[in-house]
Amino acid sequence: MNTHIAIFASGSGTNAENIIQYFSKSKSIEVSLVVSNRSDAYVLKRARLLKVPELIITKKEFSESEYYVLTKLRNFHIDFIVLAGFLLQIPKYLIQAYPGAIINIHPALLPRFGGKGMYGDHVHKAVVEAGEKESGITIHYVNEHYDSGAIIHQEKCAVDPADTYEDVARKVHRLEYEFYPRIIEDIVSRL
């Protein structure tokens, strides 16, 4: 029996593409849906190119249309939700419908540099400005609060004194691409 994953993303979708390609040959895990809150998000184009169904759910629909959102996910038989650069807070009803089955990746070592507004380059700039000696990724379960769910896995990379935030971003992206699909696979295999 296949486990059906939905990837939620708001931006360009490089992590989503990496995850879709990683599971494209899997016999037990399938990326069945890409969900975005933005109709202009490049991740939707990536999904079309990779022949994965796409769904746009607006911020208002997320917050006010519980039945609509859950019905759409059930129609695609979604068992597990992966956030990959998704900028909306996950509503409580969705967390309750998917207990222990929603994870996120954060481009820093939580609990530092997390919370509302801390995403993408904002995080990398904050890490460099703080003079940190390391950064990395944190894969965690999603709860009602930004970046505060139980940590599943962290990987570190060095931040050199001469590194720009772009340098840090490149190092962190390499970790994301290497580890996120593997951690997803590990968690899903234990469901």
Side-chain angles (χ1 to χ4, degrees):
M1 184 175 102
N2 268 7
T3 299
H4 298 273
I5 294 177
I7 299 175
F8 286 27
S10 299
S12 84
T14 56
N15 265 315
E17 180 176 358
N18 184 51
I19 294 164
I20 292 166
Q21 289 176 336
Y22 184 89
F23 290 113
S24 65
K25 294 173 182 67
S26 174
K27 291 181 176 23
S28 60
I29 300 170
E30 176 184 320
V31 177
S32 303
L33 184 65
V34 170
V35 176
S36 185
N37 60 304
R38 293 183 38 221
S39 61
D40 63 343
Y42 196 78
V43 69
L44 298 172
K45 183 171 184 178
R46 292 181 196 274
R48 281 191 291 276
L49 290 171
L50 295 166
K51 298 185 177 20
V52 175
E54 61 191 84
L55 176 64
I56 299 164
I57 301 178
T58 66
K59 183 177 182 177
K60 184 174 179 165
E61 288 168 335
F62 258 110
S63 61
E64 298 176 11
S65 303
E66 175 179 341
Y67 178 79
Y68 172 77
V69 173
L70 292 176
T71 299
K72 288 290 189 182
L73 295 175
R74 286 187 190 113
N75 287 345
F76 285 92
H77 310 287
I78 299 304
D79 304 300
F80 196 81
I81 297 171
V82 172
L83 307 186
F86 189 67
L87 300 183
L88 296 184
Q89 191 164 16
I90 300 301
K92 191 172 185 174
Y93 72 81
L94 199 53
I95 294 166
Q96 291 171 339
Y98 288 90
I102 307 175
I103 64 171
N104 183 42
I105 189 165
H106 186 75
L109 299 172
L110 292 174
R112 293 183 46 83
F113 307 106
K116 187 173 171 81
M118 290 304 281
Y119 61 90
D121 287 342
H122 299 290
V123 176
H124 306 308
K125 287 176 183 175
V127 166
V128 170
E129 288 169 10
E132 295 291 311
K133 294 190 181 350
E134 62 184 11
S135 189
I137 58 168
T138 302
I139 300 168
H140 64 92
Y141 288 105
V142 173
N143 63 17
E144 302 88 38
H145 308 287
Y146 283 111
D147 301 325
S148 64
I151 292 173
I152 300 164
H153 187 83
Q154 289 185 311
E155 286 291 331
K156 297 176 182 177
C157 60
V159 177
D160 300 319
D163 279 350
T164 64
Y165 78 88
E166 294 98 340
D167 296 326
V168 175
R170 276 190 289 279
K171 292 177 183 182
V172 169
H173 287 313
R174 279 195 295 272
L175 294 175
E176 290 173 343
Y177 302 152
E178 180 180 353
F179 289 97
Y180 204 18
R182 290 171 27 197
I183 298 299
I184 293 166
E185 186 174 40
D186 183 54
I187 294 167
V188 167
S189 71
R190 291 185 272 131
L191 287 178

